[in-house]
């Protein structure tokens, strides 16, 4: 789990998860080697780094000065899996954690206080890990939305069943002002926030598969200018290319974390 950069507590004009909720609001990478991880993502995605407030094991990635992602080099210390994890905005972390338990999910960590908010690390019924965040969001929320990942995609056993699970926890498709919209398009569940595609849910993952890339998991998609250049940089700096096309490539960093680079930002 990694801290989410926010504006100063109570800052004028700060956006909170009471008005923006249900959508991904942050992504965090759990790794083993902080220096190697920084070098890899700087080479592949051009990220710059800011030391995290939680200590020497944490860093925040910047794009054009805008915080876009976090790294927590605690996988070995905390015996956690190396992986990218999306965090979703919720008005009340304790309530969302309770809903997760009631619906057969798991609360792995938290909710814990990380001023100016609260966070928890959860897993859905099929074992896919995700996080929740309650509190203030980035001071310039719209800047994060433009610099942040293009979207996140859940590979799961049954997309429609998972959409119901997450919808009940995150208040998707409700009458509340600001709620995310859910659509069913081409066999996928598509989540939109303020008109932008922010998440997709697809069926076909296998719970008992020995390959973790086939088991249910959330995949983070980063928008980039040149997919091919990112793929070659990943190979050059100790990573690997799992799949590649002109518009998209699935990459694995040297630590084993999987992510996708895409040439398009969906609307």
């Amino acid at each position: 789990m990694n801290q989410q950069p926010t504006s100063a507590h109570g800052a004028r004009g700060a956006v909170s998860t009471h008005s923006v909720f249900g959508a991904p609001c942050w992504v965090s990478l759990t790794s083993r080697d902080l220096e190697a991880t920084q070098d890899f993502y700087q080479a592949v995605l051009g990220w710059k780094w800011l030391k995290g407030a939680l200590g020497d094991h944490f860093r925040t990635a910047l794009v054009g000065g805008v915080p876009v992602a976090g790294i927590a080099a605690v996988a070995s210390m905390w015996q956690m899996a190396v992986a990218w994890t999306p965090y979703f905005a919720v008005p009340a972390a304790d309530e969302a954690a309770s809903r997760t338990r009631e619906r057969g999910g798991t609360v792995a960590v938290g909710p814990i206080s990380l001023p100016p908010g609260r966070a928890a690390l959860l897993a859905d019924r099929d074992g896919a890990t995700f996080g929740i965040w309650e509190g203030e969001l980035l001071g310039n929320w719209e800047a994060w939305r433009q610099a942040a990942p293009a979207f996140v995609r859940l590979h799961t056993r049954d997309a429609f069943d998972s959409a119901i699970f997450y919808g009940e926890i995150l208040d998707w498709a409700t009458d509340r002002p600001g709620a995310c919209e859910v659509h069913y398009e081409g066999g996928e569940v598509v989540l939109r926030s303020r008109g932008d595609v922010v998440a997709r849910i697809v069926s076909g993952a296998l719970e008992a598969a020995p390959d973790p890339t086939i088991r249910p998991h959330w995949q983070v998609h980063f928008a980039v200018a040149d997919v091919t250049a990112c793929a070659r940089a990943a190979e050059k700096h100790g990573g690997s290319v799992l799949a590649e096309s002109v518009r998209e490539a699935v990459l694995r960093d040297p630590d084993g974390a999987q992510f996708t680079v895409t040439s398009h930002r969906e609307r």
Side-chain angles (χ1 to χ4, degrees), residues 6 27 29-30 51 61 71 86-87 99 120 139 153 156 203 212 214:
T6 62
V27 291
L29 171 64
T30 306
K51 186 175 180 179
I71 290 180
Y87 281 74
R99 291 180 182 179
R153 173 178 272 128
T156 189
S203 301
I214 300 175

Side-chain angles (χ1 to χ4, degrees), residues 40-51:
F40 176 82
Y41 285 95
Q42 183 168 344
V44 176
L45 298 177
W47 288 350
K48 305 300 182 183
W49 302 100
L50 180 68
K51 186 175 180 179

Side-chain angles (χ1 to χ4, degrees), residues 4-170:
Q4 181 189 60
T6 62
S7 54
H9 183 60
R12 184 177 180 180
V15 178
S16 82
T17 57
H18 292 281
S19 57
V20 175
F21 62 92
C25 64
W26 190 242
V27 291
S28 179
L29 171 64
T30 306
S31 73
R32 297 187 183 91
D33 187 324
L34 183 60
E35 184 175 349
T37 299
Q38 290 181 99
D39 290 345
F40 176 82
Y41 285 95
Q42 183 168 344
V44 176
L45 298 177
W47 288 350
K48 305 300 182 183
W49 302 100
L50 180 68
K51 186 175 180 179
L54 293 182
D56 292 337
H57 296 288
F58 301 88
R59 293 291 186 273
T60 297
L62 306 175
V63 172
V66 179
V68 295
I71 290 180
V74 295
S76 298
M77 183 170 54
W78 292 355
Q79 297 184 335
M80 298 175 67
V82 172
W84 278 101
T85 301
Y87 281 74
F88 292 83
V90 296
D94 291 288
E95 182 178 344
S98 294
R99 291 180 182 179
T100 299
R101 291 192 191 94
E102 291 167 359
R103 288 156 180 80
T106 304
V107 177
V109 180
I112 59 175
S113 295
L114 294 173
R118 288 170 61 75
L121 189 63
L122 315 173
D124 65 22
R125 288 189 290 246
D126 294 320
T129 301
F130 67 103
I132 53 173
W133 171 260
E134 169 199 351
E136 291 179 13
L137 300 172
L138 296 169
N140 190 340
W141 173 244
E142 290 302 327
W144 184 87
R145 284 168 61 88
Q146 293 303 314
F151 58 92
V152 295
R153 173 178 272 128
L154 175 63
H155 297 261
T156 189
R157 175 184 51 80
D158 185 304
F160 300 101
D161 181 66
S162 290
I164 294 172
F165 173 86
Y166 284 94
E168 291 177 343
I169 292 169
L170 302 173

